[in-house]
Amino acid sequence: MLNERSLLILASTSPTRADILRAHNIAFIQMESGFNEDTLSTNNPKTFVLQACANKLQSTLAKLNANKELERALKFGILCADSVISVEGQLLRKAKTLQEARNMLEFQSAKRISVLTAMSYQSERGVFLDMSVCHLELSRFSPISLEHYLESREWEGKAGCVMVEGFHKPYIRRQIGLESCARGLSVEKLLAFLEVL
């Protein structure tokens, strides 16, 4: 699985996170962490995202160890991340049905939403843990655009059905925080950490 060209292991199957790393010329390979977020019981957005991220890292370490690849993997570095949406203090995760997606999006319309993204990185050279928040003040969603977005199914697999590079983009009146955080990986912070290793 591992090769000498890999800079790090991205323990996430998110295509958006992969795109972010590619855009910053970071060589990586992807794998599934194996952690089931449904085992978490907290509804606190901050607690949830930190616990999910920490558990993803532990699950990934255990999987690599079972495959006798942990020592080698730590030479490359292992990166895990998790994102959730908070609206009026309520935790929004990934919608599992079309109706859930509709409810989440209607709840966000014309409100301030917060994207919380946690990252954990571990290698033989160091450990990094970060939680970033990006606040987005949204205008009211067009009913027609909302229906098109729901029909497209592009919301699937996205925390709170939020897609800042797609559906949500024209409705953002004000952004406070990194766009990369809102997309699921605060890469600027990761790069700053990697530079000092």
Side-chain angles (χ1 to χ4, degrees), residues 165-178:
E165 70 275 28
F167 171 75
H168 285 72
K169 189 170 186 175
Y171 299 104
I172 299 173
R173 294 190 294 107
R174 187 180 180 211
Q175 174 182 310
I176 306 169
L178 297 170

Side-chain angles (χ1 to χ4, degrees), residues 17-37:
R17 292 189 180 113
D19 286 344
I20 291 171
L21 292 179
R22 286 190 200 98
H24 287 81
N25 298 313
I26 299 175
F28 68 95
I29 59 170
Q30 265 181 294
M31 65 175 285
E32 172 67 55
S33 73
F35 176 69
N36 181 5
E37 296 178 9

Side-chain angles (χ1 to χ4, degrees), residues 102 105-106 109-110 138-150 167-168 170-171:
R102 184 185 301 279
L105 290 162
E106 289 178 348
S109 184
L138 305 175
S139 55
R140 190 168 303 281
F141 298 153
S142 157
I144 294 175
S145 295
L146 178 57
E147 289 305 317
H148 287 163
Y149 183 49
L150 289 168
F167 171 75
H168 285 72
Y171 299 104

Side-chain angles (χ1 to χ4, degrees), residues 80-151:
C80 296
D82 193 75
S83 297
V84 298
I85 307 301
S86 176
V87 184
E88 297 180 346
Q90 293 190 40
L91 171 66
L92 301 184
R93 293 173 55 202
K94 296 170 185 172
K96 295 179 179 177
T97 67
L98 183 65
Q99 188 58 52
E100 280 187 6
R102 184 185 301 279
N103 292 344
M104 286 183 186
L105 290 162
E106 289 178 348
F107 184 46
Q108 296 168 26
S109 184
K111 289 182 180 165
R112 172 172 163 149
I113 70 172
S114 300
V115 185
L116 290 77
T117 291
M119 294 188 303
S120 55
Y121 170 90
Q122 184 169 335
S123 76
E124 61 182 9
R125 294 169 295 166
V127 177
F128 173 67
L129 176 64
D130 175 74
M131 193 197 77
S132 301
V133 182
C134 181
H135 304 288
L136 303 172
E137 295 178 4
L138 305 175
S139 55
R140 190 168 303 281
F141 298 153
S142 157
I144 294 175
S145 295
L146 178 57
E147 289 305 317
H148 287 163
Y149 183 49
L150 289 168
E151 290 172 8

Side-chain angles (χ1 to χ4, degrees), residues 56-69:
K56 284 181 178 181
L57 179 59
Q58 291 308 309
S59 179
T60 302
L61 294 173
K63 182 185 286 190
L64 289 165
N65 190 48
N67 293 334
K68 302 190 185 321
E69 291 189 300

